[in-house]
Amino acid sequence: MSQQRHGSTSGNGARAGAVSAFPDLPEATIARLPEYLRALHNLGEGGADTISSEGLAAAAGVNSAKLRKDLSHLGSYGTRGVGYDVALLIEQIEYVLGLDQRRAVCLVGVGNLGHALAGYDGFASRGFKIVALLDADPAKVGERIHGLIVRHIDELPAVAVEETIAIGVIATPAGAAQAVADELVTAGVTSILNFAPCVLSVPANVDVRKVDLAIELQILSFHEHRKASLTALPGGRSATGAGNQEAVGS
Amino acid sequence: MSQQRHGSTSGNGARAGAVSAFPDLPEATIARLPEYLRALHNLGEGGADTISSEGLAAAAGVNSAKLRKDLSHLGSYGTRGVGYDVALLIEQIEYVLGLDQRRAVCLVGVGNLGHALAGYDGFASRGFKIVALLDADPAKVGERIHGLIVRHIDELPAVAVEETIAIGVIATPAGAAQAVADELVTAGVTSILNFAPCVLSVPANVDVRKVDLAIELQILSFHEHRKASLTALPGGRSATGAGNQEAVGS
DNA sequence: AGGCGCTTGTGAACGCGTGCACAAATCGCG
DNA sequence: CGCGATTTGTGCACGCGTTCACAAGCGCCT
């Protein structure tokens, strides 16, 4: 877990001008904010003006008390007896997540997965812009993918100069991932999204999030296994259990 | 490497024959087991025969005490003063995760992402087999992708009869996801991996895991935002912080 | 203006997960 | 055969996150 430092705690609701002192939000809250944001966008397009915590919680798939506590961490943006102003809340969450500025993303590894990521419109529509595709394979360099030309990984420093890269995405095989991570760090990238199935070692100020598709399946496999053994058991219960919607996040 | 049924070791915990009563493992532990498994495979290929909790913890990127506690939940498979037998531990974890049987996966939505998932070898190499590709778009039906022919979503019931589908993967746009989920449930699928950015509503006995790539980026964006405001602050420190490797998992 | 119903914001309790620190156990060696 | 080195397994305490339950606040209707 990244640990935050930041002394300050000056005023509180501050958030004046450009620089903002963050109330230290719990990690769990941060991981849920994007989900709230997505739900709010949906509701907004549906014409809703305000939304109650109950309604938003249902749309985001969480407990309403949890949602209220999460939102209370970023200040009081609700009205008792009425609910939350959808537009205002969207603005708030986007500000906290730093989405008011479109962040440049650099994607390394244009294989099977990287190719798909390069064309994923969810990135563009939610605050990000892929500014470079890189690969070590000379056969891939020069290829045009969704409007971008694949460049060689050695050009990373040059790319970093052209544009301030906020986030690097690693979609290479596991064997190449650590080397790529090192180069990204050298180029000044401080946030990495890693799709390679391996552990990355990075300096303390660099944040790494890992997504491993096979792991997700294996977790599901466990639950399948467990359910199968339960139904086969004497007291086996087949259709019980509490909530089961598990979402990714740390 | 297919593995056969475990050679019994009838010595201690039940786990006899076909049906097994599970010690109820903490969810957090389950989410880490696949990571341990991956690290063990790496170590095994490296020729290691036994591994200490310290070594394995380093390879998996976790605390060694945590790892020992996790493993202790599945029984005592380590030897004090020596460490864990790599092969035995692999067998154990694969058994608990239900990977001793290759599970059939059905992938719905052969768009950008689905196309990549269909060709992702991490699935095949880690205990899963994609047995069907489905899509609602007639233009895509019949297309051959990585050796599989895309079939129409309406054929899902037929596919379910041909092969027992353990896990369904949804890689459709958000608007179609709920309908697909309903059809999967009707077809008897009890585990779903959802890549669509929306909340799915399913019966209580169905497990859903969600992977949202944009959310991962947004979480990183927050940390970027926070780091930026910290360095701009008077007492801002730039290169501090402890571990920061966050992994996906619920 | 006053009361009523609704919704937010939060205090407090609970449970889970984590990490420390140490006892128990095993191996190797003299 | 006994001792020390090493490593597992775990009791315990702490902190975080979740949930309940309720007081405080707001708007609307009469």
Side-chain angles (χ1 to χ4, degrees), chain B residues 7-218:
Chain B
S8 78
T9 41
S10 55
N12 78 40
R15 190 207 144 183
V19 186
S20 75
F22 274 103
D24 44 349
L25 303 174
E27 270 299 313
T29 294
I30 296 161
R32 283 187 294 265
L33 287 181
E35 195 74 41
Y36 301 156
L37 186 58
R38 188 191 50 71
L40 282 167
H41 275 298
N42 280 358
L43 290 166
E45 287 168 14
D49 202 29
T50 63
I51 181 70
S52 71
S53 67
E54 200 74 40
L56 182 53
V62 302
N63 182 298
S64 70
K66 196 191 307 195
L67 179 133
R68 286 198 299 275
K69 187 156 291 188
D70 283 342
L71 293 186
S72 75
H73 284 135
L74 15 138
S76 283
Y77 294 104
T79 306
R80 293 169 133 107
V82 177
Y84 297 91
D85 182 294
V86 173
L88 176 61
L89 197 51
I90 287 178
E91 191 187 354
Q92 270 309 308
I93 295 180
E94 288 189 341
Y95 171 74
V96 170
L97 291 180
L99 299 176
D100 42 6
Q101 48 189 303
R102 177 160 293 243
R103 295 191 181 268
V105 175
C106 165
L107 173 59
V108 184
V110 193
N112 225 331
L113 184 60
H115 205 284
L117 293 176
Y120 185 50
D121 19 336
F123 289 163
S125 68
R126 292 210 256 167
F128 301 94
K129 182 188 178 188
I130 298 183
V131 297
L133 304 179
L134 304 175
D135 204 300
D137 184 357
K140 297 217 179 88
V141 173
E143 188 180 348
R144 181 189 202 83
I145 299 178
H146 290 95
L148 274 171
I149 306 285
V150 178
R151 302 167 70 174
H152 192 271
I153 179 72
D154 292 343
E155 291 191 51
L156 177 56
V159 171
V161 170
E162 294 166 23
E163 202 136 6
T164 303
I165 302 175
I167 300 174
V169 177
I170 298 180
T172 67
Q178 181 63 58
V180 169
D182 292 343
E183 293 178 55
L184 284 171
V185 170
T186 302
V189 174
T190 51
S191 289
I192 295 176
L193 181 55
N194 179 30
F195 286 91
C198 65
V199 176
L200 293 183
S201 163
V202 296
N205 63 319
V206 178
D207 284 291
V208 175
R209 289 190 69 83
K210 184 183 170 190
V211 175
D212 189 322
L213 308 178
I215 284 185
E216 300 301 319
L217 283 185
Q218 289 178 345

Side-chain angles (χ1 to χ4, degrees), chain A residues 1 3 27 34-35 95 97 103 112 190-191 200 206 209-210 216 221 224-225 227 244 246 248-250, chain B residues 35 95 97 103 119 190-191 206 209-210 216 218 221 223-225 227 241-246 249-250:
Chain A
M1 318 299 124
Q3 98 212 72
E27 270 298 313
E35 194 74 39
Y95 170 75
L97 291 179
R103 296 192 180 269
N112 223 330
T190 52
S191 289
L200 293 182
V206 177
R209 289 190 68 82
K210 183 183 169 190
E216 300 301 320
S221 172
E224 278 295 308
H225 190 192
K227 276 185 283 194
N244 51 344
E246 330 213 3
V248 139
S250 67
Chain B
E35 195 74 41
Y95 171 74
L97 291 180
R103 295 191 181 268
T190 51
S191 289
V206 178
R209 289 190 69 83
K210 184 183 170 190
E216 300 301 319
Q218 289 178 345
S221 172
H223 289 295
E224 278 296 308
H225 190 193
K227 276 185 282 194
N244 50 345
Q245 192 101 346
E246 328 212 1
S250 62

Side-chain angles (χ1 to χ4, degrees), chain A residues 21-216:
Chain A
F22 275 104
D24 45 351
L25 302 175
E27 270 298 313
T29 294
I30 296 160
R32 283 187 295 263
L33 287 181
E35 194 74 39
Y36 301 156
L37 185 58
R38 187 191 50 72
L40 283 166
H41 276 297
N42 280 357
L43 290 166
E45 287 169 13
D49 203 27
T50 61
I51 181 72
S52 70
S53 66
E54 200 75 40
L56 182 53
V62 301
N63 183 297
S64 70
K66 195 191 305 194
L67 180 134
R68 285 198 299 276
K69 187 154 288 187
D70 282 343
L71 294 186
S72 76
H73 284 135
L74 17 136
S76 282
Y77 294 104
T79 308
R80 293 167 131 102
V82 178
Y84 297 91
D85 182 294
V86 173
L88 177 59
L89 198 49
I90 287 178
E91 191 185 352
Q92 271 310 308
I93 295 180
E94 287 188 341
Y95 170 75
V96 170
L97 291 179
L99 299 176
D100 44 4
Q101 48 188 305
R102 177 160 293 244
R103 296 192 180 269
V105 174
C106 166
L107 173 60
V108 184
V110 194
N112 223 330
L113 185 60
H115 205 284
L117 293 176
Y120 185 52
D121 21 338
F123 289 162
S125 68
R126 294 210 254 168
F128 302 92
K129 182 187 179 188
I130 298 183
V131 297
L133 304 179
L134 303 176
D135 204 299
D137 183 358
K140 298 218 178 86
V141 173
E143 188 180 348
R144 181 189 202 84
I145 298 178
H146 290 96
L148 274 172
I149 306 284
V150 178
R151 302 167 69 174
H152 193 270
I153 179 69
D154 292 343
E155 292 190 49
L156 178 55
V159 171
V161 169
E162 294 167 22
E163 200 135 8
T164 303
I165 302 176
I167 299 173
V169 176
I170 299 180
T172 66
Q178 181 63 57
V180 168
D182 292 343
E183 292 178 55
L184 283 171
V185 169
T186 303
V189 173
T190 52
S191 289
I192 295 176
L193 181 55
N194 179 31
F195 285 91
C198 65
V199 176
L200 293 182
S201 164
V202 297
N205 63 319
V206 177
D207 282 293
V208 175
R209 289 190 68 82
K210 183 183 169 190
V211 175
D212 188 323
L213 308 180
I215 284 185
E216 300 301 320

